[in-house]
Amino acid sequence: MSPRRIIVFLPCHTLDDFPYWLDEAEADAVLSAWTAAWHPRLLGAVGEVPRWASVDLPPPDDVPVVGIVPAPFDDRFATQADAVAAGPSTWIRGLEGSPRLTAAALEAVGMTDGSVPVAGAEEDFRALGLAVLLTELLARRMRSSLTLETTGFEAAAVSAARAAVEGRADDMRHAIAECFGCLESARAQYYPVDVWLLDIVLLAESTLGRGLAVELEAESPIGLVATGDLVRVLAERHPETLGRLREACAAGRVSPCGGRDDQRPIDGCTPEGLVASFARGATAWREHLGVVPTTFAQYAGGSSAVLPQILQGLGYAGAIWSLFDGTRLPDPSASRIRWAGTGGGLIDAVGRPPLDARSAQTVLSLAEKLGDAMDHDHTVVLQFARHAGTASPWHDLLRRMAALSSVCGRFVTPDDLF
């Protein structure tokens, strides 16, 4: 008998007790299992979107299913699964990574070819699956529930999947847009306010080549943190990448973030010395990239109450209230703040500490982070940070999801935000 349902077994009893605290390997396994189930050929074959069940409860035996169990939780599943192990269902256990899980699930529904003729379709469906999970979790975090059953979401998802398999690209994109529209409408019921996401990319001498090139290939809005010194090194060693960065800055996809020429500790500099460092940094950006930063950010160097006055005087529009070398600044517990300094200096700033874009755990716990911000802020802004070229595959999928829908926020450049 052919499977009629796809179930992913999650390590919780209800989504209200979803374990945001999972370690990196466990978070990766859960995301892999869930997104693997959203392959368009699987959705088209069973005619349903994937469901979830608790890994701690007996699997259902009413219909044949394909059950996907995240590998780290197989022992918990095995405790309850023996009673139905001989039934018509197929349990996919002990496998890691979305490609292997998807291949096993396709085999379980009688398919050996997982290719899809529409370019990018598989990643779009994985992004849709991620959006469903995060939106479900966010609804629970905001003391609500997601009511997709009455929106036509499932019919649109299956229609999109079958269109993708048949090579009807326009029909697929239209149906996927309808799916995301359902999710956005559901989210608007409990938080109808825009959410802004910042992607902060840190440059270092070791990431000026391929690492930076990878970021520019993604064509996603980013804020690029670099000193004037690093800009000169980039121009000298990687002129081709410099040219591509110049184009991205001109197109508005990249916001230069920085200002200073170096990273010397601020507490060892006079105000005049800081202003001179900003002038040298602006010269480097202008000469090599045709732009100057209007968002202040720095990797290291500490902070000072004199900075808002200097930044305001130099025409900066905003600042990133974070350092990225491990130095902690006071946490204002707000997405956006007014940074007040000496001499009446005042400038807008992003206040919440950045999330680690290298981590699967960051993406799995995004609903919790968004919920905390929604509870306390009038304007929700979250920022992610990492060195160039080091983003996790899950962060890349999050960026793809945000390009398709604003259900969990839109990525914008810091210049656009301020």
Side-chain angles (χ1 to χ4, degrees):
M1 189 179 298
S2 300
R4 293 166 50 192
R5 187 172 299 162
I6 301 172
I7 295 179
V8 179
F9 291 89
L10 300 181
C12 56
H13 292 155
T14 71
L15 293 183
D16 293 311
D17 62 10
F18 187 83
Y20 295 110
W21 39 261
L22 295 178
D23 65 28
E24 184 68 9
E26 292 170 337
D28 180 81
V30 168
L31 290 171
S32 294
W34 179 255
T35 57
W38 285 80
H39 191 283
R41 286 194 177 274
L42 291 174
L43 270 65
V46 301
E48 288 187 357
V49 297
R51 306 183 186 187
W52 76 272
S54 173
V55 76
D56 296 314
L57 298 177
D61 58 1
D62 54 336
V63 297
V65 306
V66 176
I68 303 177
V69 183
F73 307 102
D74 187 67
D75 288 346
R76 288 168 58 176
F77 177 80
T79 302
Q80 302 292 341
D82 292 343
V84 294
S89 296
T90 300
W91 312 120
I92 298 172
R93 302 165 60 181
L95 298 181
E96 297 181 354
S98 291
R100 295 181 67 194
L101 290 166
T102 298
L106 287 169
E107 183 178 353
V109 298
M111 295 183 181
T112 57
D113 181 13
S115 62
V116 179
V118 177
E122 294 176 49
E123 288 303 293
D124 284 348
F125 275 87
R126 293 180 70 231
L128 177 62
L130 179 63
V132 170
L133 177 62
L134 294 180
T135 309
E136 287 270 15
L137 292 173
L138 181 58
R140 298 302 181 95
R141 172 59 184 77
M142 297 304 293
R143 301 159 293 279
S144 183
S145 61
L146 205 62
T147 54
L148 291 178
E149 295 81 4
T150 60
T151 64
F153 172 85
E154 185 166 56
V158 173
S159 175
R162 290 174 175 164
V165 170
E166 295 166 7
R168 295 182 283 115
D170 290 342
D171 291 342
M172 184 208 81
R173 295 189 180 98
H174 177 78
I176 276 202
E178 185 179 345
C179 291
F180 278 113
C182 293
L183 291 174
E184 290 169 5
S185 297
R187 202 262 274 178
Q189 295 179 15
Y190 57 84
Y191 196 79
V193 176
D194 291 331
V195 176
W196 306 110
L197 307 175
L198 295 182
D199 207 5
I200 305 299
V201 176
L202 312 172
L203 277 192
E205 286 197 31
S206 60
T207 63
L208 293 178
R210 182 57 188 162
L212 178 56
V214 166
E215 300 297 344
L216 299 178
E217 287 168 4
E219 296 190 352
S220 181
I222 61 173
L224 191 66
V225 179
T227 62
D229 281 341
L230 274 176
V231 171
R232 294 187 193 92
V233 173
L234 175 64
E236 178 182 346
R237 299 181 185 175
H238 303 280
E240 182 178 345
T241 304
L242 179 79
R244 295 177 60 192
L245 177 57
R246 189 182 185 101
E247 293 173 0
C249 289
R253 295 197 311 272
V254 175
S255 286
C257 298
R260 296 177 64 205
D261 201 46
D262 53 50
Q263 296 182 150
R264 288 183 295 171
I266 288 178
D267 58 9
C269 301
T270 64
E272 295 78 13
L274 284 174
V275 172
S277 179
F278 275 101
R280 292 192 301 271
T283 298
W285 280 96
R286 186 183 299 108
E287 287 183 354
H288 297 295
L289 291 163
V291 294
V292 293
T294 58
T295 298
F296 172 70
Q298 58 179 2
Y299 181 83
S303 187
S304 170
V306 75
L307 277 176
Q309 183 179 7
I310 292 175
L311 296 173
Q312 191 176 38
L314 293 173
Y316 278 75
I320 305 297
W321 174 253
S322 296
L323 297 172
F324 303 96
D325 63 346
T327 302
R328 289 176 175 258
L329 296 178
D331 185 356
S333 298
S335 291
R336 194 161 174 174
I337 61 173
R338 295 282 279 169
W339 181 11
T342 58
L346 194 66
I347 191 167
D348 286 343
V350 175
R352 288 188 180 274
L355 305 175
D356 188 352
R358 303 167 300 175
S359 167
Q361 202 276 338
T362 293
V363 175
L364 190 67
S365 64
L366 183 60
E368 183 182 43
K369 304 298 184 186
L370 284 172
D372 288 344
M374 289 175 176
D375 278 342
H376 297 96
D377 300 337
H378 295 294
T379 301
V380 176
V381 182
L382 293 184
Q383 59 173 326
F384 302 83
R386 82 280 184 186
H387 280 98
T390 64
S392 76
W394 302 113
H395 183 75
D396 291 339
L397 193 63
L398 180 65
R399 293 198 290 182
R400 192 180 192 99
M401 183 188 83
L404 293 167
S405 166
S406 62
V407 65
C408 287
R410 288 281 193 194
F411 280 100
V412 296
T413 64
D415 285 356
D416 287 337
L417 176 70
F418 290 119

